[in-house]
Amino acid sequence: MQCIRRQPKRSVSQENILLEQSRRVAALNGIRLGLKDDKDLKFLLKGSQLLKVKSSSWRKERFYKLQEDCKTIWQESKKVLRSPESQIFSIEDIRDVRSGHKTEGMEKYAKDVPEYRCFSIIFKDQRKNLDLIASSEDDANHWIAGLGKIIAHSNSMNQKQKLQHWIHTCLRKADKNKDNKMSLKELKDFLKEVNIEVDDYHAKKIFQHCDKSKTEALEDDEIEEFYKILTERKEIDSIFQVYSDPEGFMSCQNLVRFLYEIQQEEDAVVAAPALIQRYEPNERAKRGNAMTKDGFLMYLLSDEGNIFNPSHRKVYQDMTQPLSHYLVSSSHNTYLMEDQITGPSSTEAYIRALTKGCRCVELDCWDGPNSEPVIYHGYTLTSKILFSDVIKAIKNYAFKTSPYPVIISLENHCSVDQQKVMAQHMTTILQDMLLVAPVDGNKSQFPSPEQLKGKVLVKGKKLSRQEDPINGNNNLEAEDVSDEDEAAEIEDESVKTKVEQKGKSDTLKLAKELSDTVVYCKSVHFEGFDDPNHPRAFYEMSSFSESKALKLAQESGTSFIHHNIRHLSRIYPAGWRTDSSNYSPVDLWNVGCQIVALNFQTAGTEMDVYQGRFQDNGFSGYVLKPEFLRDEQTKFNPKSITEGTWGTKKKLLLKIISGQQLPKVNKSKNSIVDPKVTIEIHGVQQDNNKKQTKVIENNGFNPNWNEEFTFDIEVPALALVRFVVEDFDMSTKNDFIGQYTLPFTSLKQGYRHIHLLTKNGDPYSSSTLFVYINIQDCD
């Protein structure tokens, strides 16, 4: 039996000293956040009892408190053997704080409690929402406002402030006896905490250098000296020295030279003085219109020093072209949180997809009890949600991330009566948002995203004997239309059995009321590419399984491109992807397919590339296709690249210099990462490529690679660049650390930082790569 060593009991005076120290640390962190003496912050630091809600029968009181680091929340747990780490969650992990009954859990289990006492914490990853009830309206308001302020102020911190906050938090954690001093052992523990393995000799050398008082413990200024040594960026110092004078100042003129010659900034003369004013912390340097090393580092870590072109963070493309000229961020079976067979369905999945910029969501509709249609994956054991609840979620979240149109892709399996209920719900809930008539009388081509701002379009079946949706309707009440049953394609034995038992019909009776909601996106079976003498109406669109679409792209690439200039095409994952895995969207974008639907709930390379493509153009969910994918005369074929108008070939010269504060993958105290970087090109077949750095052993804090790579890019407009950092493991699969993907055309040149993302696509607070980029025209 393992003996547990008890900590010696502290005296009352010791406890008071520690309490006072904790208050001082909390106050200092509050100041760092810009929340000095904030009443909401003080309330959170004191903590309060909250009711945690899990179900109609599970509602229990728990104590919640903001820790002194102002970064983590401690939650009381009654579970036996629960580790201390599992009782803490980071504010960085919070995506949103919602007041009232704004989650499924609150809607179902807390309707008896006034909204003003309720709030929910929504996490960034796949973690369940935390639904909480405060004892009073004031307490709820303190929590909602306090968390909101901390999140907002943390996000507005610059990289240097984030790094300082993080390192001081780790120092505090390593100070086991809380005496505000650091022994050699505590220093070594701290280095492991920040993900760096230092041998005893090197650790002792750093310690002795900083221990000016020779007391065998670092304190105050000595700890600051240690912090400076730790955060030194020699690779940036050497760049700065080239452009600075002996006193350590870079003149505005030299900054202009650096921006123009190295960073390839065309507006260097205008940008330089603005950068000095924005990032230079030294007032003397600022008055002299110069930059110090600290200001230079702050610039390189800022948005202006980012690898992603900051002007592409806004909508900059022409948004007045027909809808079919854009790639559209699209989700498959949006309601699913996990797999395709047994996982839960949730309105939360729609909210997550829409806030990630998704503009086309899917609704699989079936008859439900009490004449209320439900959404779930037909023939499977996935749970069911009300159609009306999904439409409410769409109404509330459709335009929070982007003002451009949302397409509801209906897969309708309902009876005529419940179809009428669906139409009624969409009309009454969405009201003016729902597009029910052509825009500006346009009857020959799609309206533009600009014209459709704030509108929800319905994609679905249309009564065949009804006159076309653009020119009006007749009075037909209902009739049979062809059925498109994607759920029946699932390669699962139990699903196949249920489909056979049901006796799948090729037709479905369609209600006029539902048919009337479809204006520009009429679903039809694909019968082949247009006969030039008998072209199909532009508003008719088809859905293709990934295998069918890839076959068309392979065998008839140019014809598919021409089809996609005038018509919308929707692609969905193959039936065998029951685990909700994804396919690569790139080959289908390359032939102009607009609505390439992926499983948003599944992280991985495909989703990274997807989000990389759609962070362009202001994260609006719409990206204008290159001109050669919109030109009626185009001869472009991605499978056979010949000379043409698809842009000048480029040579990408890339140097991976260093990494900063890479996160620990294995949370074990003694586990240090061995990072390596892989650079991938995703584009036309000739451009697809992958190269990797060497492995740096035992250093996730500040690894240095200094390795150069060259890539030839045939079609720059279609290429994306993905940087992946992994923890190398000789015996098993490498562990993912972080990644960043962006369009080739959004790359900035010169010395740049890459701000890494988690596997779910959320930014790490201070994990970066430092790189050098140079792009040249090929001869």
Side-chain angles (χ1 to χ4, degrees), residues 221-232:
D221 291 346
E222 293 170 343
I223 288 176
E224 285 304 312
E225 175 69 14
F226 170 66
Y227 168 78
K228 278 180 186 165
I229 290 170
L230 198 65
T231 56
E232 204 172 23

Side-chain angles (χ1 to χ4, degrees), residues 396-670:
N396 292 331
Y397 290 89
F399 304 110
K400 282 194 184 295
T401 301
S402 165
Y404 293 102
V406 165
I407 300 169
I408 292 177
S409 179
L410 287 184
E411 190 174 311
N412 167 31
H413 305 277
C414 291
S415 62
V416 169
D417 285 345
Q418 293 211 14
Q419 289 177 39
K420 289 176 182 177
V421 175
M422 285 165 60
Q424 187 183 2
H425 282 322
M426 287 195 285
T427 307
T428 54
I429 295 167
L430 297 173
Q431 298 179 336
D432 290 347
M433 282 184 186
L434 185 66
L435 187 83
V436 291
V439 175
D440 296 340
N442 191 341
K443 298 179 180 182
S444 58
Q445 65 174 13
F446 281 109
S448 68
E450 190 64 35
Q451 289 172 297
L452 293 167
K453 264 185 175 175
K455 290 294 181 187
V456 174
L457 284 67
V458 177
K459 171 202 160 289
K461 288 290 178 182
K462 195 84 180 157
L463 292 174
S464 61
R465 281 190 297 166
Q466 218 171 334
E467 289 178 47
D468 69 71
I470 301 302
N471 296 312
N473 307 316
N474 66 17
N475 295 318
L476 195 69
E477 285 303 310
E479 73 163 13
D480 287 344
V481 292
S482 61
D483 185 19
E484 289 180 358
D485 191 353
E486 288 171 22
E489 297 176 25
I490 295 177
E491 292 183 20
D492 178 83
E493 286 310 313
S494 63
V495 170
K496 284 178 182 173
T497 305
K498 285 179 185 174
V499 172
E500 284 165 13
Q501 285 168 352
K502 176 181 176 257
K504 186 179 177 309
S505 166
D506 290 332
T507 60
L508 170 87
K509 203 167 275 298
L510 180 65
K512 177 182 183 296
E513 289 85 347
L514 190 60
S515 177
D516 286 347
T517 64
V518 176
V519 179
Y520 284 117
C521 301
K522 178 186 175 183
S523 295
V524 297
H525 276 299
F526 181 70
E527 305 288 355
F529 295 120
D530 271 0
D531 174 350
N533 299 317
H534 302 94
R536 271 178 17 198
F538 74 89
Y539 51 78
E540 293 185 350
M541 64 174 290
S542 300
S543 290
F544 306 85
S545 69
E546 64 174 276
S547 49
K548 175 78 184 287
L550 286 167
K551 190 170 187 288
L552 288 170
Q554 181 71 39
E555 295 173 0
S556 316
T558 308
S559 298
F560 211 171
I561 289 167
H562 279 275
H563 174 84
N564 288 326
I565 292 170
R566 196 157 174 268
H567 299 280
L568 290 172
S569 290
R570 176 179 163 271
I571 320 299
Y572 58 91
W576 56 266
R577 294 186 184 275
T578 53
D579 58 351
S580 294
S581 62
N582 280 314
Y583 57 99
S584 170
V586 177
D587 285 341
L588 298 158
W589 288 335
N590 290 349
V591 289
C593 295
Q594 303 88 348
I595 301 175
V596 181
L598 260 57
N599 292 305
F600 268 49
Q601 73 273 32
T602 306
T605 304
E606 298 81 12
M607 203 60 215
D608 294 343
V609 168
Y610 206 84
Q611 291 298 82
R613 169 59 74 200
F614 285 106
Q615 73 165 316
D616 194 7
N617 201 32
F619 200 52
S620 63
Y622 284 86
V623 171
L624 185 64
K625 294 192 277 189
E627 206 277 331
F628 56 83
L629 292 181
R630 296 180 274 123
D631 176 13
E632 298 277 3
Q633 307 305 315
T634 190
K635 292 183 169 57
F636 179 73
N637 184 346
K639 299 295 176 191
S640 172
I641 305 295
T642 53
E643 292 298 317
T645 57
W646 15 100
T648 311
K649 293 179 191 175
K650 302 286 182 185
K651 189 176 284 294
L652 172 62
L653 306 168
L654 190 86
K655 186 176 186 182
I656 305 289
I657 301 169
S658 60
Q660 293 76 41
Q661 292 86 59
L662 303 178
K664 276 192 168 196
V665 180
N666 185 334
K667 295 299 179 190
S668 152
K669 182 180 167 187
N670 293 314

Side-chain angles (χ1 to χ4, degrees), residues 737-757:
I737 294 175
Q739 70 85 31
Y740 189 77
T741 308
L742 74 166
F744 180 86
T745 51
S746 294
L747 281 171
K748 290 291 281 181
Q749 298 191 63
Y751 290 101
R752 302 286 169 179
H753 277 98
I754 298 171
H755 295 258
L756 294 171
L757 305 177

Side-chain angles (χ1 to χ4, degrees), residues 49-114:
Q49 295 285 350
L50 295 168
L51 277 176
K52 184 177 179 179
V53 181
K54 279 190 174 179
S55 70
S56 52
S57 58
W58 200 105
R59 191 185 283 185
K60 295 182 181 176
E61 198 169 69
R62 296 286 184 261
F63 188 75
Y64 288 81
K65 178 184 181 298
L66 178 67
Q67 307 244 94
E68 65 187 33
D69 61 4
C70 296
K71 282 177 67 175
T72 49
I73 304 269
W74 181 83
Q75 52 185 338
E76 177 190 13
S77 175
K78 302 285 168 131
K79 282 184 184 171
V80 183
L81 299 177
R82 186 165 181 180
S83 68
E85 289 80 17
S86 66
Q87 287 181 253
I88 291 168
F89 63 86
S90 170
I91 282 175
E92 283 173 10
D93 295 337
I94 298 174
R95 184 180 298 286
D96 193 14
V97 182
R98 294 186 202 149
S99 60
H101 303 144
K102 300 267 174 49
T103 62
E104 281 178 323
M106 283 301 199
E107 278 278 343
K108 282 183 189 170
Y109 312 129
K111 276 293 194 184
D112 58 315
V113 181

Side-chain angles (χ1 to χ4, degrees), residues 199-260:
D199 59 51
D200 287 355
Y201 170 77
H202 192 52
K204 197 167 184 181
K205 201 171 160 188
I206 296 171
F207 186 83
Q208 287 171 342
H209 173 82
C210 297
D211 184 20
K212 305 282 195 252
S213 59
K214 308 295 179 200
T215 57
E216 295 296 313
L218 307 185
E219 50 188 313
D220 301 331
D221 291 346
E222 293 170 343
I223 288 176
E224 285 304 312
E225 175 69 14
F226 170 66
Y227 168 78
K228 278 180 186 165
I229 290 170
L230 198 65
T231 56
E232 204 172 23
R233 294 284 302 272
K234 287 179 180 169
E235 72 277 33
I236 287 177
D237 293 352
S238 61
I239 301 164
F240 182 77
Q241 279 170 5
V242 176
Y243 292 89
S244 61
D245 62 25
E247 287 183 36
F249 292 102
M250 183 190 284
S251 68
C252 186
Q253 191 178 356
N254 277 351
L255 179 56
V256 168
R257 207 159 58 92
F258 171 77
L259 292 174
Y260 188 73

